[in-house]
Each structure stands twice: as C-alpha cells, then as structure tokens.
Amino acid sequence: MRKVVLKLGGSLITDKSKPFSVRSERVLSIVEVIREAVSSGIEVVIVHGGGSFGHFAAKSEIDEKGRLTNESVPRISDAMMELNQIVMLHFLNAGLKAVSFPPHSICLASCQFSTFNCNFTPLLKAFVSGLIPVTFGDIVLGDNGCGPFIISGDDLSMMIAREIKADSVVFATDVDGVYRDPKDASSLISSIRLEDIPGIMKEIKFPSSVPDVTEGLPGKLLKIYRYLGGISSHPVVAIVNGSLKGELSAAILGRKIRGTMIY
C-alpha cells in the first residue's frame, strides 16, 4: 500500500486576508480527491495548517503581549480546534473515517533542544487500523517551564512521515510550487534535490503579505531539509497547487505533476 502524508496549507483552505474564513468549496473539492485516493487503496494521514484561524490568533497574542505565553494557549488552541471541527465535518459528511488528534494534547516543546516531543502512539494505532488520522498546526506547552511554542503543520507532516515510513509527503498549497521569482511564471522549479535546498533558497524571492507565524515557504523548505536530511531512504516530497483537483490527485497517487518535486 502507498502511504502518504497530505498537508493542506492554511492559505489553501482558508482566506488568510480575512480572519476566521474557510474556503468551503476548496475543502469540498479536496475531500473528493481524498475520498477517491482512499478508495484506490492509498493510506493517508492528513495535516492542515492554521490559516486565517491559528495564524491570526497567534499574531494577535504576539501583538498584544509581545510574545506567546501560557495564557495564549486557550485562545490559539480554541481557534485551531474551530477550524479542525469544520474540516472534520466535511470529511465525515463525505464518509471518510477520519479521527482528529489535537497536537496540544499529545506534544510538548523541548526547551533544551528546540524540538518537539509527541506521543504519536494513538495516531499510529488509528492509522494501522484503517482510519484516517487528522492533525494540525497548533500551540503546545514547553517542558521545564519554557514556551509555549507553535508546532506547525509542516513540522508534524515531517515527523509523522518518518514515523509511518511514508512513500510521499504532499504539500497542497495555493500556488503551483516553488518559484525562483513568484512574479515570473516561467521560473517554477520542477525538481529539487534535498541536499540542494540551502543553495536554492538563496536564489528564491520570498514574498510575505499576510500573517504567517510559521515562516511560510522558507520555513517549509528548511523543515523539509532538517527533518529528511541524513535519512538514506526518505519520502519524496511534492509541492503542488491543491486547488487543482487533477494535480492534487496525481501528487497523492505518485504521478507526474506540474509542481515541485523534492527527491
């Protein structure tokens, strides 16, 4: 069976320019692609970003307090749970056997090593039992009194991919892939070797026009490099436009895409 971690970007499923707004038609389209993939035998774990829910709540906390504190946890986790409930409702209405695993209940940030420690045992049990685990970017408490910290959906996608030995990690975004210059449609990078990511990042012009406390595309590429670098047999990573059903389906099935593949 082909094992896939599918990360649904916050900008894909929400409108980041409008707080607490969901792109319902896109979510419904994505759900249809997932349902078809699962019917064909694909085993999938789904991770979604914070979009106009978590990112705005986190940015508001930072603007008001100067940093995230333990008092920030209820506000941010509640915003993410609200988005997750909407996403889960779409999944369940489509007949998908999805089960939610909120990171604030299974993960801690490590003060000493600037990493995250998560108890994925329940999630992994759900996965091998034929269910579809769903998790999301969230705020988590720190061990030994530090933190709290944001654990991004990208962090979780990479961590879970390693746990399940995924064949592929698909990042469904609102763009076609990685561009050297987002204003130049001809500058799409179709293929990147994992070890070349640091060099490629020096060539890319990264725009930033909306709140993203997880560093957007630069953060994504760095996390791919950090989590998968040094692994002899790592999953293939696809960055694809998730609003295009055909491209998203092809990426999940391991077929040729118009997007960026990282090997």
Side-chain angles (χ1 to χ4, degrees):
M1 291 290 187
R2 178 174 169 81
K3 295 183 286 188
V4 177
V5 176
L6 173 60
K7 161 66 192 311
L8 304 177
S11 295
L12 175 67
I13 62 173
T14 75
D15 183 347
K16 275 190 171 182
S17 68
K18 299 177 182 178
F20 302 98
S21 59
V22 176
R23 300 184 190 272
S24 296
E25 291 186 4
R26 278 192 183 174
V27 176
L28 289 171
S29 175
I30 292 165
V31 166
E32 183 61 28
V33 172
I34 295 171
R35 185 168 62 180
E36 291 174 0
V38 170
S39 296
S40 72
I42 300 292
E43 297 178 326
V44 63
V45 177
I46 298 170
V47 184
H48 67 78
S52 61
F53 288 72
H55 287 289
F56 270 95
K59 187 176 184 302
S60 295
E61 283 291 309
I62 293 170
D63 289 345
E64 292 170 13
K65 299 182 174 69
R67 62 185 179 88
L68 297 177
T69 70
N70 286 343
E71 294 179 356
S72 305
V73 175
R75 180 180 186 178
I76 298 172
S77 63
D78 181 66
M80 284 309 306
M81 289 291 289
E82 181 179 349
L83 175 57
N84 181 248
Q85 288 171 359
I86 295 169
V87 171
M88 287 295 296
L89 184 61
H90 284 300
F91 288 162
L92 297 174
N93 284 343
L96 293 173
K97 299 176 182 178
V99 183
S100 178
F101 294 89
H104 60 258
S105 65
I106 62 172
C107 299
L108 287 174
S110 170
C111 302
Q112 183 177 1
F113 301 107
S114 298
T115 56
F116 298 100
N117 297 314
C118 300
N119 177 12
F120 288 125
T121 302
L123 184 152
L124 297 174
K125 179 62 176 178
F127 181 69
V128 300
S129 299
L131 301 176
I132 302 174
V134 181
T135 189
F136 47 88
D138 202 358
I139 187 169
V140 298
L141 295 170
D143 61 10
N144 298 321
C146 73
F149 294 93
I150 299 295
I151 184 169
S152 73
D154 296 344
D155 284 306
L156 289 160
S157 297
M158 293 292 100
M159 294 169 73
I160 293 169
R162 291 174 61 163
E163 289 283 343
I164 68 171
K165 294 181 171 57
D167 297 289
S168 178
V169 180
V170 176
F171 287 98
T173 71
D174 62 342
V175 295
D176 290 337
V178 179
Y179 289 87
R180 283 188 169 84
D181 182 354
K183 296 180 181 180
D184 181 1
S186 68
S187 68
L188 178 67
I189 305 173
S190 61
S191 178
I192 302 173
R193 293 190 305 174
L194 182 65
E195 60 267 30
D196 292 339
I197 286 178
I200 288 288
M201 289 188 65
K202 296 176 182 178
E203 305 174 13
I204 299 173
K205 298 178 181 179
F206 294 110
S208 180
S209 58
V210 293
D212 191 326
V213 296
T214 57
E215 301 177 316
L217 182 57
K220 187 186 308 296
L221 290 174
L222 283 173
K223 285 166 185 172
I224 292 170
Y225 181 73
R226 186 181 78 188
Y227 281 107
L228 300 185
I231 299 177
S232 57
S233 181
H234 62 76
V236 173
V237 177
I239 302 176
V240 67
N241 192 329
S243 67
L244 304 177
K245 290 181 67 174
E247 296 297 336
L248 179 58
S249 177
I252 294 172
L253 296 174
R255 298 172 181 168
K256 185 176 180 180
I257 61 167
R258 172 177 166 76
T260 299
M261 301 294 295
I262 301 175
Y263 297 98

